[in-house]
Amino acid sequence: MPITPEQRDEIDRLRAVTATTRRATVPALEEILYQPVELLDHGFVRVVDYMGDDAAVVQAARVSYGKGTKKVSEDAGLIKYLMRHRHSTPFEMCEIKFHVKLPIFVARQWIRHRTANVNEYSARYSILDREFYVPAPDQLGAQAVINRQGRGDVLEGEEAAAVLRLLREDSERAYSHYEELLNQREDGTIIDPARQGLARELARMNLPLNYYTQWYWKVDLQNLLHFLSLRADSHAQYEIRVYAEAMLDIVKRWVPAVYEAFTDYRQGGAHLSRNGLDVVKRLLAGEAVTQEVSGLSKREWRELMDQLGRSEG
Amino acid sequence: MPITPEQRDEIDRLRAVTATTRRATVPALEEILYQPVELLDHGFVRVVDYMGDDAAVVQAARVSYGKGTKKVSEDAGLIKYLMRHRHSTPFEMCEIKFHVKLPIFVARQWIRHRTANVNEYSARYSILDREFYVPAPDQLGAQAVINRQGRGDVLEGEEAAAVLRLLREDSERAYSHYEELLNQREDGTIIDPARQGLARELARMNLPLNYYTQWYWKVDLQNLLHFLSLRADSHAQYEIRVYAEAMLDIVKRWVPAVYEAFTDYRQGGAHLSRNGLDVVKRLLAGEAVTQEVSGLSKREWRELMDQLGRSEG
Amino acid sequence: MPITPEQRDEIDRLRAVTATTRRATVPALEEILYQPVELLDHGFVRVVDYMGDDAAVVQAARVSYGKGTKKVSEDAGLIKYLMRHRHSTPFEMCEIKFHVKLPIFVARQWIRHRTANVNEYSARYSILDREFYVPAPDQLGAQAVINRQGRGDVLEGEEAAAVLRLLREDSERAYSHYEELLNQREDGTIIDPARQGLARELARMNLPLNYYTQWYWKVDLQNLLHFLSLRADSHAQYEIRVYAEAMLDIVKRWVPAVYEAFTDYRQGGAHLSRNGLDVVKRLLAGEAVTQEVSGLSKREWRELMDQLGRSEG
Amino acid sequence: MPITPEQRDEIDRLRAVTATTRRATVPALEEILYQPVELLDHGFVRVVDYMGDDAAVVQAARVSYGKGTKKVSEDAGLIKYLMRHRHSTPFEMCEIKFHVKLPIFVARQWIRHRTANVNEYSARYSILDREFYVPAPDQLGAQAVINRQGRGDVLEGEEAAAVLRLLREDSERAYSHYEELLNQREDGTIIDPARQGLARELARMNLPLNYYTQWYWKVDLQNLLHFLSLRADSHAQYEIRVYAEAMLDIVKRWVPAVYEAFTDYRQGGAHLSRNGLDVVKRLLAGEAVTQEVSGLSKREWRELMDQLGRSEG
C-alpha cells in the first residue's frame, strides 16, 4: 500500500485549502496537485508544487513585461521553434516539485541526474518501513543475450515462482533482522530492554536495494525533459520508466504546448550521423545502398534501418 | 525612467488577474508581485513568480506528506538549526523568478553566479534602448588606496562635474553612433534608404558597459542566499549591492523565518580561523594577546579586531 | 598585437620546463601547450593544462584498473558507441584549461555556458589595456533580413569605410576618456596630481563592448563538445565561432577518436522530428510528398529539404 | 581483499610508464599515483589523474601568462587571502580524479555532492563481486540518544557478536541467492542449463546496501574541499569519514599551501552567529554573560561554549 490512511488524510487536508494568487496557474495541474499516482507495488509520484506554464516559456524567451503573446497558437509556434533550435534557457523558467516513493535501486539511477534539488528520507535519522519491491510476474525478464544491459523473455513456471519466493523471503528476513539489529519493532516496541540496539546509520546497511525510499525532487522543465528523454525511453530499465511515463503525463497537463513540441522533436524524432544522413540522401537519389558501401558498421546500419522502418537494407 | 507607460499598463493588467490555487501562497509577496522596485537611474528588480514558503523548507527537510509542522515557532526553530548546521538542500526547495533591468557591467558580475537560470534580452536580435547609467554625485568614489578594488572619498567640485559630463556625453554619442551603424533611429526610422545598416550583433559592440540590459533570472533560495551573502555585503560594488539589498527585502516578505536565520547566522555572524579562535580563547582566559604573539599576520589581526569590535589589540 | 614580448618570454620560459609524469600524456597537445593561437585582431586562445586522453574515456566507461583496452581501434569503437547513445559521463572524465583573450561582447555570449570554471581579469582591481576589436572589412555584415539575428551581405564602399572609422574613433576616444577618469595614463603616469581619479570599478563602465578582456576557462570534454556544437555552428556569431573552430582543432589534437565521433555524430549529422522522419519514410517509399501534405510548417519543410540537400520539395 | 593480484599487476604496469610533460607536475602526488589507499574491509581510494598545483590557483587568480609568483611564500599568502575572503573560483582551477571502491550506503551519501563527474560500475551490465562491508568490532556503535543521527557507545559481548554474525550471514546468503537468481556462479559457471537466469538489472536488487560498488569520481579542488569540510567532519558517518580523511592526506601532498589554508580557515575555525559574536564581545568586555541573558537558545549556548572551549557558561 503506497499511502497509509493517515497520509491520505494529510493530503486531503492540504488539497482542501485554496488561496488566491496572481501567479500563472494551471487548472489541469491543480486538479491533481498533491495526489499520488501509484506505481509498482508500493511507489508513487505526486506533484507538490509548480511554477510557470507554457506562456512563461514565451515570456522569458521574449524578456517581456506582461504575458508572452496574445494568441495561444503563436506561443505554440515559438515553443516549437525554440525546441527545434535547441534553445534551452526558456524551458528552464518553469519549475516543478515532486514527492516520489521508489525502490533504492531506482533511486540510484535517478540521482545520477545532477541538475535537480533533492531531499531524501534519512535512514540515519529515522527507521525505514517494511516496504520492498517485488516485480509483477510479467516483469520477470531473463537476462537479454545481445543487449548486455537489458531483459529478454519473461521467466515462467517454476523458475519464475522460485525467483519470486526468494525475493520475498529475503526481503522479509532482512527486515526482521533490521529490527533485531535496531532492537526495536516497526511499531516502536523495544525487543530486549537489556540491549542498546545498533545505530540506525549502521543497521540500514542490511536492507537490500529493493527497499523503498522517498524524496522530494525539484527540477526545471528543461532538465526534466532531458531526464524524460532518457528515462521514458525503451532502453531505460522498466522500473524507472514507469515513473518517467507518469511524469510525462504530468508534463502534458502542465505545459501542453511544450509537451507537444517535446514528443514531436525529441521523443518521436531520430538523430542521423553524417554517414547516416549520407545514406538517406543516396537512397532518396535512387541508389541501391547496402551496408557494405554505406560507410556504416553493421550495428550502425541496423540501427539506421530500424529508424527508417526498413526491414532489410 | 525605468518603466514606460506601456510597460506599466502590461504590469497592471497582469496584476489585475487572480486565480485560485492549492499551492503554498505568500500574501506579503503577492502584494508586490510583478511590481518593479526602482534602482539606480533606470534599473529595477521585480518578482515575476515564486514557489514555496517557509513551511516548504521544513516539509522537504522532513520529507512529509502534508505541511511541515503545526506551529510556526517549531518551523522557525528547525530552520535555524538547518542554517546553523549548513544543511543546504531544504533551502533549495523554494524558487523565485525575477525580472531585472541593470547596467551591463553589473550584469557581468551577476552572471558569475552560475547556479541560476537566465534569459537575457538579445542585442543580436533586437535594438537596445537609449538608457545608460550615470552615478549619482554621492556615488562618484575615487579609487581606494589600500583596498585595490574599492572606492575611497567621493569626488567633488570640478573633478566630479567633469566626470559626470564625460560619462554622459560619451554615452549619448555612443547611442547616436549606434543608430548610425544600424542606419536606424530609436523610433524605427531609416536614416539613409540607400544604406543597408550594420548587423545588430556587430553594432552593439560600440555601446559602453554602462548601458542597461535586462533579463529574467530564476534561482533557488539556497543559491539566492549565497548570492546575497556576497553581493549584499559591504565589499560588493555599490551598483550590484543596491540590487542585492532590494532582493533581501523581498526575501524578508517571502520567507520571514529563513530571512531571520540568514541575517543571524550568515550575514550578522563572523567566521574565525583556527588561530583567530585561539586568540579569542586566550583573551577570554585573561591573557594580554598582541599581534606579535597571536600567530596572525598584521592583516588577519586587524580583521579579527574589527570583527570583535576592538579598536586596538 | 595579442601578446607582448614580455608575455612571449613568460610563455617561452614555461614551455622550456619539462617534468616526468605517470599521467596520461598527449604529445600532439604538449607540442602546442601554452602557445597562443591568435584570433581576430588582438585575441587568442591557448591551452594551459589538460587531463586525460581518448583512453581515459574508455577507462572511465569501464571503471577499469588499468588502461581502457589494448587496441586503439576497440577504444575508437566504444567511443563511437558512447557518442551515438548519448552516454555523457565518460566524456566528462577529460578536462582542459584555456587562457582566452576575447572582446567583451564575445565573453558575454561565452559565459552563458555555465558548466565551466572561470577566472576573469578584474577591471575593478586592474586597469584594462588599450585593445579593442574592429572587424576585418570582409566581416562587416549588414543586418540580415530573414534571420533577425544574423548577418547578410558585406558592407562596401563608403558605408563600410564610415563604419570602420566610427568604430575606431569611438574606441580610441573611450580609452582616452578612461584614462581621464582614472587620472592615469596607460603607462602609469598620473595626469593631474591635484586630482584623485575615479575608482577603477566605475571608470571601466565608459569602455565599449568591443574592448578585450581575458580569462582562464576550464571545462570538461563533454561540456566543451556541447559548447562547440553550438558555437562552431554556422548560426553562431562569427566572432565567437573563430574561437570555437580553433578549439575544435585543439580537440582533434587532444582526443582524436572523440573528435572523429563528434564530427560524425553531432556536427555532421541531422536531427529529424517525428514528422520529418515520417516525410523521409514516405519519400523513400516513393511517395511524392509536398509541404502541403507533410504535416510540416513551411519553415520546417524548408529546413528539412536543406538537411536532405534537396533544392525544392 | 580490496585488490586482486591481476588488478595489482595492471596498476604496476601503469605506474611503470612515464612520459615527459610541460604541464604542472607534483612529485609528491606522482609518488602515489594509481596506488590504492586501502580503507574499511574491502574499499580503497586511489588518485588516477590530476591537473594543477598550488601555483595554478595563483596563476588563475592573477590571470597570468606564466606561473603565479616567483616566491612560494607569496603564493601561500595569496592562497590564504583567497580562502579567507571566500574567493572560490581560483580553487576550481585544479582538478583531480579518483577511483573509489566503497559500500553502496556510503556511495549513496557521497553522490549527493552533485558538482562532480561520476562513472559507476554498472550492475545492469556486469555482475557484482562477493564483497560486502562488515564493521570492525570497535565501530559497532549503538544508536546515540541525544543526536538522533549518530552513534553512542560501542556494543560489546553477546550483542556485538550477534550483530556481526547476523550481518555476515545475511550478506553471504544474499550473494548465494544473487547467484541463484542469475543462474550463474561468481566464476561464470551456469548453475542449471535448463534455466535462463533473471536479468542482472533485476537480480542486483536482492543485494544489501553494504555491498561494495566502485566508481571514477572527478572533482575540482573547490568542490573537493567543500566535500571534505562536510565529510571529514566529526558529524559525518564513520564509514564515509575514513574516505574523506584519506583524501585530505592526498590534498596535503597535492597542494600543500591550499591544504594549510583550508585546515586553518575552514576546518579549524568556527562560525559565530550574530548573537554568538555579541556574547563573545560582552565576555571580552568583562560581563558575566549567562545563557538566560545571551539571546541564544540552550542548544546554541551549549554549541558556543563548546567552540570557545568553556566547560560551563
Side-chain angles (χ1 to χ4, degrees):
Chain A
M1 186 177 49
I3 298 275
T4 65
E6 292 74 29
Q7 289 160 356
R8 164 63 57 200
D9 280 358
E10 284 204 73
I11 289 170
D12 288 346
R13 263 198 302 278
L14 219 51
R15 279 179 58 79
V17 180
T18 59
T20 297
T21 186
R22 287 184 162 120
R23 289 172 292 171
T25 302
V26 181
L29 197 54
E30 293 278 342
E31 253 178 50
I32 59 161
L33 202 69
Y34 306 128
Q35 290 280 32
V37 179
E38 306 194 356
L39 298 164
L40 303 180
D41 46 3
H42 297 284
F44 64 74
V45 60
R46 64 189 192 107
V47 181
V48 168
D49 209 345
Y50 69 94
M51 174 199 272
D53 57 6
D54 277 330
V57 175
V58 171
Q59 190 187 33
R62 300 225 164 110
V63 193
S64 67
Y65 283 77
K67 283 206 133 193
T69 50
K70 305 294 171 285
K71 296 181 196 156
V72 169
S73 67
E74 276 181 40
D75 280 14
L78 177 56
I79 284 170
K80 278 190 173 184
Y81 174 87
L82 296 171
M83 185 73 76
R84 209 162 65 239
H85 290 276
R86 297 195 290 159
H87 288 254
S88 54
T89 54
F91 298 104
E92 295 175 10
M93 287 288 143
C94 295
E95 190 90 12
I96 194 162
K97 184 161 53 177
F98 296 103
H99 179 189
V100 192
K101 190 170 156 195
L102 70 180
I104 292 171
F105 71 93
V106 174
R108 299 229 309 131
Q109 293 186 339
W110 193 308
I111 199 80
R112 301 299 311 281
H113 297 266
R114 289 159 294 183
T115 314
N117 310 114
V118 192
N119 280 277
E120 186 173 354
Y121 185 87
S122 169
R124 284 186 77 191
Y125 189 83
S126 306
I127 295 176
L128 286 166
D129 292 328
R130 185 191 289 270
E131 286 186 316
F132 50 85
Y133 170 63
V134 176
D138 64 347
Q139 281 305 324
L140 278 188
Q143 176 62 33
V145 181
I146 295 172
N147 176 1
R148 280 193 58 184
Q149 61 174 10
R151 302 185 193 175
D153 308 333
V154 172
L155 299 184
E156 293 183 337
E158 179 44 33
E159 181 167 12
V163 162
L164 291 175
R165 200 164 50 232
L166 190 150
L167 287 175
R168 270 198 209 98
E169 283 175 10
D170 278 10
S171 298
E172 290 288 0
R173 184 190 305 106
Y175 200 84
S176 303
H177 288 178
Y178 178 55
E179 293 176 316
E180 276 299 313
L181 292 168
L182 292 170
N183 189 33
Q184 189 177 327
R185 296 271 169 243
E186 209 181 349
D187 63 8
T189 331
I190 300 301
I191 297 176
D192 175 357
R195 282 167 46 202
Q196 290 196 276
L198 189 65
R200 283 168 199 149
E201 67 178 26
L202 286 173
R204 62 167 163 170
M205 80 166 96
N206 201 47
L207 293 176
L209 288 158
N210 61 342
Y211 264 78
Y212 277 88
T213 184
Q214 47 180 292
W215 60 34
Y216 271 63
W217 193 68
K218 175 171 150 287
V219 69
D220 67 57
L221 179 54
Q222 168 68 17
N223 281 288
L224 176 58
L225 295 179
H226 183 67
F227 175 86
L228 296 179
S229 77
L230 293 170
R231 301 304 182 178
D233 184 89
S234 62
H235 293 89
Q237 183 165 352
Y238 168 78
E239 282 77 15
I240 196 167
R241 204 165 66 232
V242 293
Y243 286 86
E245 284 165 357
M247 289 157 91
L248 201 51
D249 285 345
I250 289 167
V251 168
K252 191 177 182 179
R253 277 180 176 268
W254 178 28
V255 280
V258 171
Y259 173 83
E260 191 65 28
F262 174 71
T263 49
D264 188 8
Y265 291 103
R266 301 258 296 262
Q267 277 216 314
H271 189 81
L272 305 181
S273 71
R274 176 200 305 250
N275 287 335
L277 182 60
D278 186 55
V279 167
V280 168
K281 287 180 186 175
R282 288 158 69 187
L283 286 171
L284 286 175
E287 192 180 333
V289 192
T290 60
Q291 184 262 318
E292 289 72 21
V293 301
S294 68
L296 300 176
S297 70
K298 281 186 182 159
R299 181 161 194 166
E300 290 170 280
W301 177 262
R302 200 171 55 234
E303 287 178 11
L304 179 64
M305 290 304 116
D306 278 356
Q307 288 179 314
L308 299 176
R310 291 164 84 92
S311 47
E312 26 79 79
Chain B
M1 186 178 51
I3 299 274
T4 66
E6 292 73 31
Q7 289 160 357
R8 163 63 57 200
D9 280 357
E10 284 204 73
I11 289 170
D12 288 346
R13 263 198 303 277
L14 219 52
R15 279 179 58 79
V17 180
T18 60
T20 298
T21 186
R22 285 182 162 123
R23 289 173 291 170
T25 301
V26 181
L29 196 55
E30 293 278 340
E31 253 177 52
I32 60 159
L33 202 68
Y34 305 129
Q35 291 279 34
V37 178
E38 304 193 359
L39 298 164
L40 303 181
D41 46 2
H42 298 284
F44 64 74
V45 59
R46 62 190 194 109
V47 181
V48 168
D49 208 345
Y50 70 94
M51 173 198 272
D53 56 6
D54 277 331
V57 175
V58 172
Q59 189 186 36
R62 299 224 164 110
V63 193
S64 67
Y65 284 76
K67 284 207 133 193
T69 50
K70 305 294 170 286
K71 296 180 197 156
V72 169
S73 67
E74 277 181 39
D75 280 13
L78 178 56
I79 284 170
K80 279 190 173 183
Y81 175 86
L82 295 170
M83 185 74 75
R84 207 160 68 237
H85 291 275
R86 297 196 291 160
H87 288 254
S88 54
T89 54
F91 298 104
E92 295 175 10
M93 287 289 143
C94 295
E95 190 90 12
I96 193 161
K97 184 161 52 177
F98 296 102
H99 179 189
V100 191
K101 190 170 157 195
L102 70 179
I104 292 172
F105 71 92
V106 174
R108 298 228 310 129
Q109 293 186 339
W110 193 307
I111 199 77
R112 300 300 311 281
H113 297 266
R114 289 159 293 184
T115 313
N117 311 114
V118 191
N119 280 277
E120 185 172 355
Y121 184 87
S122 169
R124 285 187 78 191
Y125 188 82
S126 305
I127 296 176
L128 287 166
D129 292 328
R130 185 193 287 271
E131 286 185 317
F132 50 85
Y133 170 63
V134 176
D138 63 346
Q139 282 305 325
L140 278 188
Q143 175 62 32
V145 181
I146 295 172
N147 176 1
R148 279 194 59 184
Q149 60 173 11
R151 302 185 193 175
D153 308 333
V154 173
L155 299 185
E156 294 184 337
E158 179 45 32
E159 181 168 11
V163 162
L164 292 174
R165 200 166 49 232
L166 190 151
L167 287 174
R168 269 198 210 97
E169 282 176 12
D170 278 10
S171 298
E172 289 287 0
R173 183 191 306 105
Y175 199 84
S176 303
H177 288 178
Y178 178 55
E179 292 176 317
E180 278 298 313
L181 292 168
L182 293 169
N183 189 32
Q184 190 178 325
R185 296 270 169 243
E186 210 181 349
D187 63 8
T189 330
I190 300 302
I191 297 176
D192 175 356
R195 283 166 46 201
Q196 290 195 275
L198 189 65
R200 284 168 198 148
E201 66 178 25
L202 287 173
R204 62 168 164 171
M205 80 167 96
N206 202 47
L207 292 176
L209 288 158
N210 62 340
Y211 263 79
Y212 276 90
T213 183
Q214 47 180 292
W215 60 33
Y216 271 64
W217 193 69
K218 175 171 149 288
V219 69
D220 67 57
L221 178 55
Q222 169 67 17
N223 281 288
L224 176 58
L225 294 179
H226 183 67
F227 175 86
L228 296 180
S229 77
L230 293 171
R231 302 303 182 178
D233 184 270
S234 62
H235 293 90
Q237 182 164 354
Y238 168 79
E239 282 76 17
I240 197 167
R241 204 164 69 230
V242 293
Y243 287 86
E245 285 166 356
M247 291 158 89
L248 200 51
D249 284 345
I250 289 167
V251 168
K252 190 177 183 180
R253 278 180 176 267
W254 178 28
V255 281
V258 171
Y259 172 84
E260 191 66 27
F262 174 72
T263 49
D264 188 8
Y265 291 104
R266 301 259 295 265
Q267 276 217 313
H271 189 81
L272 305 180
S273 71
R274 177 200 303 250
N275 286 336
L277 182 60
D278 186 55
V279 167
V280 169
K281 288 180 186 173
R282 288 159 68 189
L283 286 172
L284 286 175
E287 191 181 334
V289 192
T290 60
Q291 185 260 319
E292 289 72 20
V293 301
S294 68
L296 300 176
S297 72
K298 280 184 183 161
R299 179 159 195 166
E300 289 170 280
W301 177 262
R302 199 171 57 233
E303 287 178 10
L304 178 63
M305 290 305 115
D306 277 355
Q307 288 178 314
L308 299 177
R310 291 162 87 91
S311 46
E312 25 81 80
Chain C
M1 189 177 51
I3 300 276
T4 66
E6 292 73 31
Q7 289 159 358
R8 164 64 57 199
D9 280 356
E10 284 204 71
I11 290 170
D12 289 345
R13 263 199 302 278
L14 220 52
R15 280 179 57 81
V17 180
T18 60
T20 298
T21 186
R22 286 183 162 122
R23 290 173 290 171
T25 302
V26 181
L29 197 53
E30 293 279 341
E31 253 176 52
I32 60 158
L33 203 67
Y34 306 127
Q35 291 279 33
V37 179
E38 305 193 358
L39 299 165
L40 302 180
D41 45 2
H42 298 283
F44 64 74
V45 60
R46 63 189 192 108
V47 181
V48 167
D49 209 344
Y50 70 93
M51 173 199 272
D53 56 6
D54 277 330
V57 175
V58 172
Q59 190 187 34
R62 300 227 164 108
V63 192
S64 67
Y65 283 77
K67 284 206 134 193
T69 50
K70 305 295 172 285
K71 298 180 197 155
V72 170
S73 67
E74 277 181 39
D75 281 13
L78 177 56
I79 285 170
K80 279 190 172 182
Y81 174 87
L82 295 170
M83 185 73 75
R84 207 163 65 240
H85 291 275
R86 296 196 291 159
H87 288 255
S88 54
T89 54
F91 298 103
E92 294 175 10
M93 287 289 143
C94 295
E95 190 90 12
I96 193 162
K97 184 161 54 176
F98 295 103
H99 179 189
V100 192
K101 190 169 156 197
L102 70 180
I104 292 172
F105 70 93
V106 174
R108 298 228 310 129
Q109 292 185 340
W110 193 308
I111 199 78
R112 300 300 312 280
H113 297 266
R114 289 159 293 185
T115 314
N117 310 114
V118 191
N119 280 277
E120 186 173 355
Y121 185 87
S122 168
R124 285 186 78 192
Y125 189 82
S126 305
I127 296 176
L128 287 167
D129 292 328
R130 184 192 290 269
E131 287 186 315
F132 50 84
Y133 170 62
V134 176
D138 64 345
Q139 282 305 324
L140 278 188
Q143 175 62 32
V145 181
I146 295 172
N147 177 2
R148 281 192 58 184
Q149 62 175 11
R151 302 185 192 174
D153 308 333
V154 172
L155 299 184
E156 294 184 336
E158 179 46 32
E159 180 167 14
V163 161
L164 292 175
R165 199 165 49 233
L166 190 151
L167 287 174
R168 271 198 208 100
E169 283 175 11
D170 278 10
S171 299
E172 290 288 358
R173 184 190 306 105
Y175 199 84
S176 303
H177 288 177
Y178 178 55
E179 292 175 317
E180 278 297 313
L181 292 167
L182 292 170
N183 190 33
Q184 189 177 325
R185 296 272 169 242
E186 211 182 348
D187 63 8
T189 330
I190 301 301
I191 296 176
D192 176 356
R195 282 167 47 203
Q196 288 195 278
L198 189 64
R200 284 168 199 149
E201 67 177 25
L202 286 173
R204 62 167 163 173
M205 80 166 95
N206 201 48
L207 293 176
L209 289 158
N210 62 341
Y211 263 80
Y212 276 88
T213 183
Q214 46 180 292
W215 59 34
Y216 271 64
W217 193 68
K218 175 170 149 287
V219 69
D220 67 57
L221 178 56
Q222 168 67 17
N223 281 288
L224 176 58
L225 294 179
H226 182 68
F227 174 86
L228 295 180
S229 77
L230 292 170
R231 302 303 182 176
D233 183 89
S234 62
H235 293 89
Q237 182 165 352
Y238 168 79
E239 282 77 17
I240 196 166
R241 205 166 66 231
V242 293
Y243 287 86
E245 285 165 355
M247 291 158 89
L248 201 51
D249 284 345
I250 289 167
V251 168
K252 191 177 182 178
R253 278 180 175 269
W254 178 29
V255 281
V258 171
Y259 172 84
E260 191 64 28
F262 174 71
T263 50
D264 188 10
Y265 291 104
R266 301 258 295 265
Q267 277 216 314
H271 189 80
L272 305 181
S273 71
R274 178 198 305 251
N275 286 336
L277 182 60
D278 187 55
V279 167
V280 168
K281 288 180 186 172
R282 287 159 70 188
L283 287 171
L284 285 175
E287 193 180 333
V289 191
T290 59
Q291 184 261 320
E292 289 72 20
V293 301
S294 67
L296 300 176
S297 72
K298 280 184 183 162
R299 180 160 196 165
E300 289 170 279
W301 177 262
R302 199 173 54 234
E303 287 178 11
L304 179 63
M305 290 304 116
D306 277 355
Q307 288 178 315
L308 299 177
R310 293 163 84 91
S311 47
E312 25 81 80
Chain D
M1 187 178 48
I3 299 275
T4 66
E6 292 75 29
Q7 289 159 357
R8 164 63 57 198
D9 280 356
E10 285 204 72
I11 290 170
D12 288 346
R13 262 198 302 278
L14 220 51
R15 279 179 57 80
V17 181
T18 59
T20 297
T21 186
R22 286 184 162 120
R23 290 173 291 171
T25 301
V26 181
L29 196 55
E30 293 280 339
E31 254 177 50
I32 60 160
L33 202 68
Y34 306 129
Q35 291 279 33
V37 178
E38 305 193 357
L39 298 164
L40 303 180
D41 46 4
H42 297 284
F44 64 76
V45 61
R46 62 188 193 108
V47 181
V48 168
D49 208 345
Y50 69 94
M51 172 198 273
D53 57 6
D54 277 331
V57 175
V58 172
Q59 189 186 35
R62 299 223 165 111
V63 193
S64 66
Y65 283 77
K67 284 206 132 193
T69 50
K70 304 295 171 283
K71 297 181 196 157
V72 169
S73 67
E74 277 181 39
D75 281 14
L78 177 57
I79 284 170
K80 279 190 173 183
Y81 175 88
L82 295 170
M83 185 74 75
R84 205 161 70 239
H85 291 275
R86 296 197 289 160
H87 288 255
S88 53
T89 55
F91 299 103
E92 294 175 10
M93 287 288 143
C94 295
E95 190 90 11
I96 194 162
K97 184 159 55 176
F98 297 102
H99 179 190
V100 192
K101 191 171 155 194
L102 70 180
I104 292 171
F105 71 93
V106 174
R108 299 228 311 130
Q109 292 185 339
W110 193 308
I111 199 79
R112 301 300 310 280
H113 298 265
R114 291 159 291 184
T115 313
N117 311 114
V118 192
N119 281 277
E120 186 173 354
Y121 185 87
S122 169
R124 284 186 79 192
Y125 189 83
S126 305
I127 296 176
L128 287 166
D129 292 329
R130 185 192 289 270
E131 287 186 314
F132 50 84
Y133 170 63
V134 176
D138 64 345
Q139 283 304 325
L140 277 189
Q143 175 61 33
V145 182
I146 295 172
N147 176 2
R148 279 192 60 185
Q149 62 175 9
R151 302 184 192 175
D153 308 334
V154 173
L155 298 183
E156 293 183 337
E158 179 45 32
E159 181 167 12
V163 161
L164 292 175
R165 200 166 48 233
L166 190 150
L167 286 174
R168 269 197 209 100
E169 283 176 11
D170 277 12
S171 299
E172 289 288 359
R173 184 191 305 105
Y175 199 85
S176 303
H177 288 178
Y178 178 56
E179 292 176 317
E180 278 297 313
L181 292 168
L182 293 170
N183 190 33
Q184 190 178 323
R185 297 272 169 241
E186 209 182 351
D187 62 10
T189 329
I190 301 301
I191 297 176
D192 176 355
R195 282 166 48 202
Q196 290 196 276
L198 189 64
R200 285 169 198 148
E201 67 177 26
L202 286 173
R204 63 169 163 170
M205 78 165 100
N206 201 47
L207 293 176
L209 288 158
N210 61 342
Y211 263 79
Y212 277 89
T213 184
Q214 46 180 291
W215 61 33
Y216 271 65
W217 193 68
K218 176 171 148 288
V219 69
D220 67 57
L221 178 55
Q222 168 67 17
N223 281 288
L224 175 58
L225 294 179
H226 183 68
F227 175 86
L228 297 179
S229 78
L230 292 170
R231 302 303 182 178
D233 184 271
S234 62
H235 293 88
Q237 182 165 352
Y238 168 78
E239 282 77 16
I240 197 166
R241 204 164 68 230
V242 293
Y243 287 86
E245 285 165 356
M247 290 157 90
L248 201 51
D249 284 344
I250 289 168
V251 168
K252 190 177 182 179
R253 278 181 176 268
W254 178 28
V255 280
V258 171
Y259 173 83
E260 191 65 29
F262 174 72
T263 49
D264 187 9
Y265 292 104
R266 300 258 296 265
Q267 276 217 313
H271 190 80
L272 305 181
S273 70
R274 177 200 305 251
N275 286 335
L277 182 60
D278 187 54
V279 167
V280 168
K281 287 180 186 175
R282 287 159 69 188
L283 286 171
L284 286 175
E287 191 181 334
V289 191
T290 60
Q291 183 261 319
E292 289 72 20
V293 301
S294 68
L296 299 177
S297 71
K298 279 183 184 162
R299 182 162 194 164
E300 289 170 279
W301 177 262
R302 199 172 56 234
E303 288 178 10
L304 179 64
M305 290 304 117
D306 278 355
Q307 287 178 315
L308 299 177
R310 291 162 85 91
S311 46
E312 25 80 79

